Amino acid sequence: MHHSLPLQLLEGRHEPMGAHPRDGGVNFAVFSEHAQRIELCVFDGSGSRELKRYALSGPHDGVFHGFLPGVGPGLVYGLRAHGPYRPEDGHRFNPHKLLLDPCAREIVGRFAWAPEHHGYELGHPEGPRSFDTRDNAARALKARVAEPLGEAPGRRNAPRHAPAEVVLYEVHVKGFSKMHPGIPEALRGSYAALAHPAAIAHFKALGVTTLSLLPVQYAVDEPHLADKGLTNYWGYNTLGFFCPDPRLATQRDDPAAVTAEFREMVAALHAHGLEVVLDVVYNHTPEGNEFGPTLSFRGLDNRSWYRLVPDDRGRNENLTGCGNTLQVAHPRVAQFVLDSLRYWVHEMGVDGFRFDLAPVLGRTNHGFEPNAAFFAALRQDPLLAQVHLIAEPWDAGHEGYQVGRFPGRFLEWNDKFRDAVRGYWLGREANAQVSRGEFARRFTASSDLFHHGQRSPSASVNFVAVHDGYTLNDVVSFGHKHNHANGEHNRDGRDGELSANFGVEGETRDPAIRDTRERVRRAMLATLVLAQGTPMLNAGDELGNSQGGNNNAYCQDNATGWLDWAGADAGLTRFVSALTALRREEPLLHHDRWFCQPPGGPGDAFLTWLTPVGSEMHVHDWHEAGCLAFACRIRAHDPRVSSLLLLFNPDVAPQPFTLPPGHWQLRLDSSGSLPPNHATAASGHLTAPARSLLVLRST
């Protein structure tokens, strides 16, 4: 190969970004606003020996570029950037450091932390102001030119569920199948396993429509985890924004095979009507704060890629809690994010994104802006306009809590729903004081947050547990966190997370405690699935999965973080399936318009809140201390649609209810105490069992 490399690089084109085969060669384009020169470094196929260096042409509008004739897919390369090394001004150029192309479609090598990955001398008294001249190429990750993929198979016929029909299932690719007995051992923990018939059968039986996958882009472990022999299991530390993570594939050492397996997984899920949404981390990179390494972005143009402290450009702005913050307000960084998103939709076939720490994407010099340029670009993009957009609407910066402020068709994680539902059903056991009014507001899609600017109830993504925090089983089994295995002396993870153990910490054989936990857990699941808005199940909650009270299992790539199929609660799984079926069957349980007052018009529905004695709730009722049971009646403007009555009783004792006139049939008793399809007596009274949610339908 050494002899076949051309003597010089041709000028090439300044677009598209990255390395792309064309016209009998490969075109390279890389952004840097402040570099003086960028070199393309070509390696042998193993990435161990540097064969030749070429200076790229440019810059052309901030892009260095070149065309290498006579080569093609399989070419391994890295970049070296020359420019000022003035950390105090935000410039961190160091040509001794081989840099990974941010737009790499394939990455070769196994990353390990080493001192020479830093642009400065570790341990030097001047810290980052010192300059390290060691070459890190031997240990650096390299990019490999990939075969052009074209459009993902079957993408144009992919399912597209209407917002009102979506039921999300947040799931970790590896954790779902690693201990699944119905999936061949060779596949467990992989993309292929998620598309195995046993997995698909579970998703279909459960009634979910859309898998929300924890990060699958190429991630590396943080140095403090590597030092402890732990890994970043969740993967919120992305380095390769165009590459599926090989750790989740069956053939880890072949990047092309990893990509093919991911595409096949998406196509198989699509064939069964299931959508795929990716959790993406466009808010920070593994390069950390100003003391971090120089792996890619920092070495190419630190001042453009990252937000720096305005009056001290030697320091990174840390709005993410991870050391650095991508500067998405920069046009080229915004372009990079949009290019990456388009790649995952067009070439990889996915159906949408959940944006981690999403306020970062809308941060300008004036704080978070719902009308930031990035959001405008995202919403008008012809390809991205078709997919689901979900925000985690908080980051770690000033005024970082932005629930309800994202634009247009964004859906948003609603943690106020989680806290209200947990507080209402756990009650005094968790020292929680949640009023009927707060619970009712969250149950009806949080109009105080989302009823503005043409947004609909489905904008509220409702959840009671997610990957970050306790599992639902642990919410009702532990009074405090048990994170010692993370190696941080139980200091990590959220303190004071709403939970209750009902008398015993952790597992117990006490039948009374077990019954209480079961009732509360089922009541919370029923509230989640039947509330207005978009429900999101945490994978494993339908099995009764526990993490032993660990509420921050991000580094637990073991039985703690994997789903426990051997101990799965089949009855609970059937219960969740019944809930999603009920939600589908009853139009008023997924009514994606705000409830209004009669008379209304076609397509409208009305809601009346009732006290247990059957009278309408008044202002003083909402604030009455000591009584938390109440009911809601939902009626459609269309008389052909059956009305519904939901009874909520979080109390430790059964609660008699006086029902509105008419005939009512029981559709659901979350406690399982009453006979199914029980019809109410003519007297119009029904006693709701302790800690239960009941649904009745007019007949």
Side-chain angles (χ1 to χ4, degrees):
M1 181 165 181
H2 180 41
H3 301 294
S4 63
L5 285 173
L7 291 174
Q8 68 184 103
L9 191 72
L10 306 181
E11 187 171 336
R13 300 178 182 176
H14 65 277
E15 44 72 36
M17 305 301 287
H20 297 274
R22 70 165 184 84
D23 302 336
V26 176
N27 195 82
F28 297 87
V30 59
F31 155 68
S32 181
E33 198 173 330
H34 298 103
Q36 292 157 354
R37 184 161 62 101
I38 292 183
E39 292 176 309
L40 171 71
C41 306
V42 177
F43 287 78
D44 64 7
S46 67
S48 54
R49 191 162 58 95
E50 189 173 337
L51 304 176
K52 202 165 178 63
R53 291 188 194 183
Y54 303 92
L56 292 170
S57 300
H60 179 282
D61 191 20
V63 177
F64 290 80
H65 50 90
F67 179 77
L68 199 59
V71 298
L75 185 82
V76 176
Y77 71 99
L79 302 165
R80 293 181 190 272
H82 299 255
Y85 188 82
R86 291 198 306 271
E88 65 278 10
D89 291 332
H91 295 308
R92 303 281 290 267
F93 294 100
N94 186 336
H96 302 287
K97 307 303 166 184
L98 189 80
L99 306 173
L100 181 68
D101 182 354
C103 297
R105 301 291 203 268
E106 294 182 0
I107 297 174
V108 296
R110 288 271 176 96
F111 184 75
W113 289 102
E116 61 264 34
H117 287 317
H118 291 72
Y120 67 97
E121 286 186 51
L122 285 181
H124 193 283
E126 290 192 14
R129 288 173 183 257
S130 64
F131 187 74
D132 187 86
T133 57
R134 287 175 295 180
D135 195 299
N136 72 330
R139 295 188 175 205
L141 293 172
K142 286 101 182 168
R144 189 166 81 179
V145 178
E147 291 276 4
L149 288 175
E151 190 169 40
R155 191 187 78 78
R156 298 192 183 197
N157 295 317
R160 189 179 301 174
H161 296 292
E165 310 297 329
V166 169
V167 178
L168 292 163
Y169 185 76
E170 196 200 25
V171 60
H172 188 287
V173 170
K174 182 175 184 178
F176 178 82
S177 64
K178 191 60 183 169
M179 299 200 293
H180 195 302
I183 293 175
E185 203 163 338
L187 296 184
R188 289 180 198 167
S190 71
Y191 302 119
L194 209 61
H196 185 272
I200 289 172
H202 182 75
F203 304 142
K204 297 296 284 183
L206 209 53
V208 299
T209 65
T210 308
L211 307 187
S212 182
L213 306 186
L214 264 67
V216 298
Q217 293 172 329
Y218 192 109
V220 298
D221 301 319
E222 293 89 341
H224 76 272
L225 290 178
D227 291 344
K228 293 176 188 160
L230 297 170
T231 61
N232 187 327
Y233 167 62
W234 287 348
Y236 288 93
N237 205 34
T238 306
L239 182 63
F241 291 87
F242 289 80
C243 302
D245 199 316
R247 293 186 286 192
L248 303 174
T250 53
Q251 298 180 56
R252 300 179 179 189
D253 295 323
D254 180 355
V258 173
T259 298
E261 183 177 330
F262 184 91
R263 279 163 47 108
E264 288 160 12
M265 172 197 76
V266 174
L269 291 166
H270 281 172
H272 290 273
L274 293 159
E275 296 176 312
V276 178
V277 165
L278 303 188
D279 197 333
V280 287
V281 190
Y282 297 104
N283 56 70
H284 77 280
T285 78
E287 291 184 312
N289 63 16
E290 55 273 14
F291 297 100
T294 296
L295 306 174
S296 176
F297 313 89
R298 173 167 284 145
L300 287 169
D301 191 348
N302 186 57
R303 251 175 78 163
S304 295
W305 279 102
Y306 294 121
R307 292 176 65 99
L308 305 178
V309 176
D311 54 359
D312 183 2
R313 285 177 160 164
R315 290 169 50 222
N316 285 83
E317 239 187 339
N318 184 15
L319 305 176
T320 62
C322 302
N324 63 50
T325 308
L326 276 177
Q327 188 171 218
V328 183
H330 190 291
R332 289 293 185 189
V333 180
Q335 178 190 0
F336 167 79
V337 176
L338 292 163
D339 284 351
S340 172
L341 293 170
R342 273 192 295 270
Y343 175 77
W344 286 95
V345 173
H346 186 265
E347 276 94 335
M348 306 300 271
V350 306
D351 306 290
F353 304 95
R354 178 267 191 192
F355 295 94
D356 184 62
L357 305 185
V360 165
L361 302 170
R363 281 192 177 269
T364 68
N365 293 333
H366 310 291
F368 175 78
E369 296 279 353
N371 298 314
F374 175 79
F375 294 140
L378 182 67
R379 291 163 66 201
Q380 65 76 44
D381 186 280
L383 197 60
L384 302 178
Q386 303 170 20
V387 304
H388 295 297
L389 303 175
I390 304 172
E392 180 187 39
W394 46 80
D395 64 21
H398 177 63
E399 295 187 343
Y401 189 78
Q402 296 292 341
V403 176
R405 294 199 63 210
F406 278 75
R409 59 194 173 82
F410 266 94
L411 310 185
E412 298 179 42
W413 277 28
N414 184 358
D415 62 331
K416 291 186 185 301
F417 179 92
R418 173 199 64 201
D419 293 345
V421 172
R422 286 194 193 180
Y424 181 78
W425 291 107
L426 295 172
R428 297 186 192 92
E429 299 284 347
N431 295 317
Q433 293 293 317
V434 173
S435 68
R436 292 188 283 195
E438 172 66 3
F439 178 80
R441 184 181 294 118
R442 303 304 156 218
F443 189 79
T444 50
S446 299
S447 60
D448 57 327
L449 300 173
F450 298 107
H451 193 182
H452 61 84
Q454 300 179 343
R455 301 189 78 185
S456 60
S458 59
S460 176
V461 174
N462 300 329
F463 59 94
V464 289
V466 290
H467 71 275
D468 186 4
Y470 291 123
T471 68
L472 185 57
N473 178 83
D474 292 357
V475 167
V476 297
S477 305
F478 292 90
H480 55 266
K481 65 186 185 183
H482 297 262
N483 297 358
H484 295 91
N486 297 353
E488 297 177 47
H489 307 289
N490 209 34
R491 288 195 297 262
D492 64 305
R494 194 149 58 97
D495 291 312
E497 185 176 352
L498 274 178
S499 67
N501 64 25
F502 296 101
V504 175
E505 189 75 355
E507 286 188 42
T508 180
R509 293 186 176 179
D510 184 308
I513 295 174
R514 288 168 69 100
D515 177 66
T516 298
R517 289 176 176 178
E518 181 71 2
R519 283 170 180 261
V520 173
R521 183 166 60 178
R522 288 182 177 229
M524 286 197 275
L525 282 167
T527 305
L528 168 65
V529 176
L530 305 181
Q532 303 297 318
T534 301
M536 179 169 66
L537 289 159
N538 175 42
D541 283 351
E542 77 278 13
L543 311 175
N545 186 63
S546 172
Q547 291 177 173
N550 190 323
N551 77 344
N552 188 32
Y554 78 105
C555 56
Q556 297 300 317
D557 188 3
N558 51 46
T560 297
W562 305 335
L563 299 195
D564 175 17
W565 291 92
D569 182 339
L572 188 64
T573 307
R574 287 192 297 272
F575 176 69
V576 175
S577 299
L579 290 172
T580 58
L582 180 61
R583 186 179 192 273
R584 283 194 305 275
E585 291 161 13
E586 296 292 351
L588 294 176
L589 292 177
H590 56 273
H591 178 77
D592 203 23
R593 290 167 73 160
W594 296 101
F595 292 126
C596 63
Q597 298 296 323
D604 283 333
F606 325 112
L607 186 144
T608 311
W609 299 103
L610 305 169
T611 68
V613 296
S615 58
E616 279 199 41
M617 296 274 287
H618 295 291
V619 173
H620 65 272
D621 294 311
W622 289 114
H623 301 290
E624 184 185 342
C627 182
L628 287 171
F630 69 131
C632 83
R633 185 181 185 184
I634 313 175
R635 286 171 288 179
H637 182 271
D638 183 345
R640 295 168 297 179
V641 177
S642 298
S643 56
L644 299 177
L645 184 66
L646 287 81
L647 313 181
F648 304 95
N649 178 25
D651 295 323
V652 296
Q655 171 69 53
F657 279 87
T658 302
L659 308 182
H663 295 281
W664 298 94
Q665 184 181 42
L666 185 69
R667 294 299 316 275
L668 176 85
D669 165 20
S670 67
S671 74
S673 307
L674 299 174
N677 295 320
H678 171 76
T680 64
S683 64
H685 293 282
L686 182 65
T687 297
R691 306 185 195 268
S692 69
L693 187 162
L694 273 53
V695 180
L696 296 96
R697 186 175 194 250
S698 62
T699 59

